[in-house]
Amino acid sequence: MSREIIIMIIGMAVVTYIPRMLPFVMFRGKELPPFLQGVLKNVPFATLGALIFPAILFIQEDIWYGLIGAAAAFIVAFLGANVILVVIGSISVLTLYSYFF
Amino acid sequence: MESTLAVKQATDFKKGIQSGISIAIGYMPIALTFGLIAKTTGLALGETVMMSMLVFAGAAQYISLSLLAQGIGIFEVILTTFIVNIRHFLMSASLNEKAEEDTVGARIAYSFGITDETFSVAATQAGTVNAGYMFGLNLTAYSSWVVFSGLGYLVGAGLPQTLQESMSVALYAMFVGLLVPSMKTNVKVIYLAVLAAAFNSIFTMAEWMSTGWAIVLATLLSAVLVETVETFKKSRRTEADE
């Protein structure tokens, strides 16, 4: 293993860990203002929106691939299936899709 | 009293492991591919596994490989990693609101495992989450990430091509699966997700900023905007009541 790469990995580890850890220590047991609490409660759903779109369009060169995968996941989830079934359903539909096209 | 608490933590640890399984499936193709690319980039097996063990952040690890391949220096790689991963600050701050009062030590330990995926799963759980749950969840996701990074390095593209391609959708399907149940019961969730997706698309297409910052800014804008509208509506309603 090269010394330079190891230093790089440790540096990456430190700058990745600090933003993950800091809020748990900084805001522990503190009552934040109601508005800020509301914003933080909104964050998960906003994050999911931003994580899905537009990245899902670019998982393969064919833009339809992501769109069909997303649509399949949406339908299975809307029918009330649990998350693992949603994942398996979406993978199955795309396997069929790439088999036929 | 202490023993009932311990029992609860143990049950929640198991529940965390169960919640982590869909993440473990989703990480498999990404980690395998990471291992494979790390090998072609010229990293040693030890370095590849070490990076997955210590950094545990998919996007940043991929980017570091492409920067290394371009001969970019380690300082730039570390800086880019920081920018790509700054979004976890927002996620941890949000999860902190939902987390039970565990010891500081427990929080410092499980915060290491906050990723887009573990955060999304934990944050969409009903009620609060505790250290037992978080350790179960993170451990499942982490094991998959580390083991398959190493396997990817060793066996490479062993999976059939078609399956590899279709598995690239796994994590996105999981995100959709986490989002939709809340969308059905709460219209606010639809506004939040659609607004953030729209902002993120604009920032990404316009190439104004890196993906890391685009996600942070789109999330914040959407969360603040929706909260402002809601606060405004609430105050109007209270005025009308008076």
Side-chain angles (χ1 to χ4, degrees):
Chain A
M1 294 204 272
S2 103
R3 219 180 115 233
E4 213 192 349
I5 296 286
I6 290 173
I7 293 171
M8 182 192 82
I9 292 172
I10 292 170
M12 288 172 70
V14 172
V15 298
T16 303
Y17 178 57
I18 290 173
R20 280 173 171 162
M21 177 269 293
L22 223 46
F24 285 103
V25 179
M26 270 166 58
F27 305 135
R28 182 173 186 261
K30 281 200 191 110
E31 187 78 3
L32 295 173
F35 182 79
L36 205 56
Q37 278 186 31
V39 169
L40 289 175
K41 283 194 183 117
N42 288 346
V43 161
F45 305 114
T47 308
L48 283 170
L51 286 174
I52 296 168
F53 215 81
I56 194 162
L57 301 178
F58 308 125
I59 54 173
Q60 299 294 332
E61 265 172 52
D62 176 9
I63 212 166
W64 282 103
Y65 200 88
L67 283 175
I68 290 168
F74 189 88
I75 293 166
V76 180
F78 199 82
L79 295 173
N82 91 8
V83 178
I84 296 178
L85 285 178
V86 174
V87 172
I88 294 170
S90 181
I91 292 175
S92 315
V93 168
L94 284 179
T95 308
L96 281 177
Y97 172 76
S98 48
Y99 188 74
F100 287 112
F101 296 94
Chain B
M1 186 63 206
E2 285 236 320
S3 66
T4 50
L5 189 70
V7 170
K8 186 179 181 300
Q9 292 273 6
T11 325
D12 287 337
F13 181 73
K14 275 186 207 147
K15 213 175 115 199
I17 292 177
Q18 278 167 4
S19 311
I21 292 172
S22 53
I23 305 179
I25 298 174
Y27 278 175
M28 195 178 109
I30 307 175
L32 284 170
T33 315
F34 171 74
L36 180 71
I37 301 177
K39 189 179 183 179
T40 54
T41 310
L43 256 60
L45 174 64
E47 292 163 349
T48 306
V49 175
M50 183 183 169
M51 194 192 279
S52 284
M53 284 178 77
L54 296 184
V55 183
F56 188 36
Q61 290 181 221
Y62 269 98
I63 293 168
S64 78
L65 293 181
S66 78
L67 294 179
L68 277 179
Q70 293 168 52
I72 288 168
I74 63 169
F75 178 74
E76 278 96 330
V77 175
I78 295 170
L79 187 68
T80 309
T81 304
F82 177 68
I83 293 168
V84 171
N85 288 336
I86 192 81
R87 68 182 185 284
H88 295 136
F89 183 88
L90 208 56
M91 297 180 190
S92 288
S94 174
L95 201 58
N96 178 57
E97 293 288 306
K98 200 183 169 65
E100 288 171 21
E101 284 285 330
D102 294 296
T103 61
V104 183
R107 290 165 157 240
I108 286 178
Y110 74 62
S111 68
F112 171 79
I114 304 292
T115 63
D116 295 345
E117 294 76 22
T118 56
F119 163 72
S120 301
V121 169
T124 50
Q125 285 291 306
T128 57
V129 293
N130 60 21
Y133 178 83
M134 289 308 294
F135 281 123
L137 177 72
N138 292 354
L139 193 70
T140 313
Y142 182 75
S143 312
S144 164
W145 183 249
V146 173
V147 169
F148 288 114
S149 298
L151 269 181
Y153 190 98
L154 291 172
V155 288
L159 283 175
Q161 190 64 30
T162 338
L163 190 61
Q164 273 191 44
E165 274 175 16
S166 49
M167 282 188 87
S168 63
V169 83
L171 288 178
Y172 295 100
M174 186 184 82
F175 291 145
V176 172
L178 292 171
L179 189 58
V180 170
S182 310
M183 273 180 153
K184 278 163 77 175
T185 54
N186 189 352
V187 74
K188 188 178 161 193
V189 171
I190 303 179
Y191 292 136
L192 283 165
V194 171
L195 259 182
F199 281 130
N200 193 32
S201 302
I202 295 168
F203 299 154
T204 313
M205 307 288 180
E207 294 182 0
W208 286 334
M209 58 195 90
S210 70
T211 323
W213 286 112
I215 291 176
V216 172
L217 205 63
T219 302
L220 264 181
L221 271 175
S222 162
V224 170
L225 216 61
V226 170
E227 195 58 27
T228 309
V229 171
E230 204 177 40
T231 313
F232 183 68
K233 270 192 188 158
K234 242 184 239 160
S235 69
R236 288 244 317 239
R237 229 177 288 141
T238 341
E239 271 171 35
D241 286 344
E242 279 165 358

